[in-house]
Amino acid sequence: MRLDRILANSGYGSRSTVRSLIRSGRISVAGQTVRDPGLAVQDEAMDRIVLDGQPITVRRYIHLMLYKPAGLVTALTDPRLPTIADLIPDAFNNSGLVPVGRLDRDATGLLLLTNDGTLNHRLASPRWGIWKSYRLTYLGDTFHEDLCCLFAAGLLLPNGERCLPAILGLRGNHEADLQIHEGKFHQVKRMVAAVGREVQTLHRYALGPLVLDPQLCAGQSRLLTDKEAAAMYRSVQLQPP
Ligand code: URA
């Protein structure tokens, strides 16, 4: 992998910042000062990259937990609307982060961004059975216990599509939790509409074993801890790198 990419991926600054860092001679690889940002670093030299005399912590992959606020589109570019790209810290702007699945513009909560394509694909695919957990408020008649059985059996949507079994948890006060393990377009809203109610607010609080950090405010993000990242890999039967 290119040296500038390794440093940018590892959170040492934007691509241009790390390029000037390298050109200024502050980096050495396997004991040699390097001034070429494009130097291809072999796997065996990855743990021998040093900045100002201190070994750097190489991150092969970046996984960012973002608390998506309402009003942003889950996309990296959009011709008209503000996107979640505005919330990615500068240091990771060139890291190739891609959101895992999407949240509607008016939905809030946990969005995971990763530059590991295999992990992303598996987390999003219904094949790997990852639970997506939502808290919602709704308009209409109060949910009753019978609905839990209906959701658990696999709800039939008006267009004939059958949902995979889902877990509905009643909370009272027109609030409920819904866990699904697929990601059809507007799925939660369509499931709730199929039983004659309307989603008023929708918030994702967990994705598989990953729970939205209660310390984050809307719009903030942080890297996954090694433990969280390892749990995500294991949840889709991948060996953590
Ligand atoms: N289901 C929805 O309807 N919207 C979302 O944003 C996520 C799941």
Side-chain angles (χ1 to χ4, degrees):
M1 201 189 297
R2 283 175 62 111
L3 180 58
D4 55 359
R5 186 164 188 90
I6 295 170
L7 290 170
N9 269 5
S10 303
Y12 286 85
S14 66
R15 205 57 101 79
S16 64
T17 309
V18 301
R19 279 187 188 141
S20 18
L21 201 71
I22 298 166
R23 289 202 183 98
S24 66
R26 291 168 59 192
I27 301 280
S28 68
V29 178
Q32 301 286 318
T33 301
V34 173
R35 291 177 190 272
D36 173 12
L39 177 86
V41 180
Q42 305 305 316
D43 277 357
E44 51 281 11
M46 284 282 193
D47 57 357
R48 301 189 62 200
I49 304 173
V50 170
L51 165 64
D52 295 336
Q54 296 296 319
I56 72 157
T57 309
V58 173
R59 284 181 198 280
R60 197 175 276 264
Y61 294 114
I62 302 283
H63 315 291
L64 193 71
M65 173 193 293
L66 172 70
Y67 184 162
K68 180 195 171 297
L72 300 185
V73 177
T74 306
L76 297 175
T77 56
D78 188 277
R80 289 178 307 116
L81 298 167
T83 71
I84 52 126
D86 300 336
L87 300 177
I88 299 177
D90 287 350
F92 304 122
N93 264 339
N94 293 300
S95 300
L97 290 174
V98 175
V100 177
R102 57 187 298 283
L103 285 174
D104 293 339
R105 192 167 155 217
D106 58 353
T108 60
L110 174 61
L111 201 58
L112 176 67
L113 292 101
T114 178
N115 56 3
D116 184 338
T118 308
L119 178 68
N120 190 331
H121 177 74
R122 290 200 184 184
L123 289 172
S125 160
R127 189 168 152 218
W128 297 92
I130 291 298
W131 289 104
K132 286 119 191 155
S133 307
Y134 298 88
R135 176 145 307 164
L136 59 97
T137 59
Y138 60 94
L139 299 173
D141 293 345
T142 305
F143 283 159
H144 47 81
E145 290 293 338
D146 294 355
L147 282 182
C148 301
C149 303
L150 207 63
F151 278 59
L155 191 72
L156 191 62
L157 296 176
N159 68 351
E161 268 181 282
R162 168 98 42 202
C163 299
L164 291 174
I167 303 172
L168 179 67
L170 309 184
R171 293 179 55 85
N173 244 346
H174 280 75
E175 192 173 80
D177 286 341
L178 183 60
Q179 290 177 274
I180 57 176
H181 52 106
E182 55 189 334
K184 299 186 200 301
F185 186 59
H186 294 324
Q187 178 156 352
V188 172
K189 291 177 183 164
R190 286 162 66 209
M191 289 172 85
V192 170
V195 294
R197 278 74 163 180
E198 186 189 341
V199 168
Q200 198 176 24
T201 61
L202 183 60
H203 177 83
R204 180 158 66 196
Y205 61 89
L207 174 68
L210 186 67
V211 177
L212 182 62
D213 185 339
Q215 312 271 28
L216 290 179
C217 299
Q220 290 183 328
S221 64
R222 68 155 172 82
L223 291 175
L224 296 201
T225 63
D226 289 346
K227 203 169 155 201
E228 286 169 333
M232 293 311 273
Y233 277 96
R234 291 208 189 89
S235 71
V236 289
Q237 288 163 44
L238 289 171
Q239 201 52 33

